[in-house]
Amino acid sequence: MRLITNYNKLKTSALLLFVSIAPQVWGQQVMTLERCRREATESNVMLKAAQERIATAEALEKVALMQFFPKLDANAAIFWNNKSIQLLSDEQQNSINTVGTRVHDDMVSAVNENISQITDDPELAQRIVDALGGSRLETNLNEMGLEITDAMNINLSHIAAGIVTVRQPVFLGGRLLSAHHTAELNTQLQTLANDKVRDELNLAVDKAFWEYISLKHKTELAKEYCDLLDTLAQHVDIMVQTEVATQREVMQVRVKLGEARLNLTKATGGLEVARLALCQLCGLPLDGEYEFVEENPVSGSTIINNSDRNIDRRTDIRMVNTAEALSREGVNMARAGLLPNIAVEGSYIVTRPNLYNGFQDSWGGMLSAGVVVNIPLCHPGDIYAVKAAKHKAQEAAYEAEEVRKLARLEVTTAGYQLDIAGRKLEQAEGDMASAEENLRLAGESFEAGVITASDLMMAQTAWLKAKSELLDARIDIHIKQSMLKRATGEN
């Protein structure tokens, strides 16, 4: 009975160790599944990159929205030229500049030739000739000629010009509206891509977490089994001294104990590897002190598979729906190339020299406004672009339908696997209860000398197998629940 008492004490101690963890004593941080998920989400580089893609898409969405508003542009230019424009040749300019002299000379010559016909008085004739020679007609005409030739010489050594233009699109064939819808859908798509990365990360964390918990329990189980065999070895040694057992039984127990200790070493090493993998996935320091614990242990009676089988919440379904909408906007965008474009435009132009007042060396400006209309008449390329966009949209629709079919199959399969896992857990719980009862009876029989140590070790091996299968069944339930939640979009 002492062996059974020791076994019961050992089992109670292991249970207390499993359900009561005091991190303040051991200096460890308690890490539940939800906290592991949160730590992984906050540290994952792929999620951070996805957030940047979302920010980029949101900025592009605002760019598309701004296309509805008028655009205001200002342009300015200044030039230096080594020559100016001369509208008249040098000969023409000289002719115009001396027009007064030629007119004066012609008049004086004409008077001299005809003065005898004007008067017979020589003194009066001389006075008339002197009056013509002293008049300002020559000077005035020459000055007028100089003004004309100067006006014909346009000084373009320094040219400055500026224009301010405002343009408001009125109708561009639906291109602006389609571009804005496309940008909105692209933002949604990037957000869903971020959700998909997070869902995949959560599932990976779930699997790594439950893998660690499984190895942790199996390590504890291996240690418990070693303690059982160690206690049995001590009892057999005593029984050999009292000639109740043989050396053969001692060796059998020692061999079994050696195998158990080797398995414990393997389990301990596997547990450390699983801990490192989980820490790396959660972005935790590999040398940190953490205690990963499960909050809600499951049993066969608590498994309820009533998840909503609606697939519309799934990230991949929402992504293909968004992709379908994007492809339809692609058709609208291509069709816009066949529709008229209308815009209102106004501008104010200033130049120096003044183009609006004889090329004077001053600033001059002009305001203009109008409506610009472009009507495509023959654009065969755009027609085929619309056809290509329609085929692309149909392709997206086919792909979306295939994804929906696979999603429905995945949900059905995940639900079925959870049901199977639940039944396996119930079976494992029943087998565990039987194995514990069998071990208790075997211990009593061994204490009474009814069975040998080999028989007791067989019962212990059966108990170990049942306990291991029970741990596997419980961990499998958690994993199958995570997979079903992900399949139904609840994760």
Side-chain angles (χ1 to χ4, degrees), residues 232-253:
L232 177 60
Q234 296 175 13
H235 280 74
V236 172
D237 287 339
I238 296 174
M239 294 172 67
V240 168
Q241 294 175 6
T242 59
E243 297 183 353
V244 178
T246 64
Q247 286 294 332
R248 180 174 176 275
E249 290 178 306
V250 173
M251 294 305 299
Q252 288 177 336
V253 175

Side-chain angles (χ1 to χ4, degrees), residues 32-45:
T32 62
L33 177 59
E34 289 303 319
R35 185 173 177 183
C36 286
R37 281 186 169 192
R38 185 170 62 252
E39 294 288 342
T41 300
E42 292 175 355
S43 62
N44 187 264
V45 176

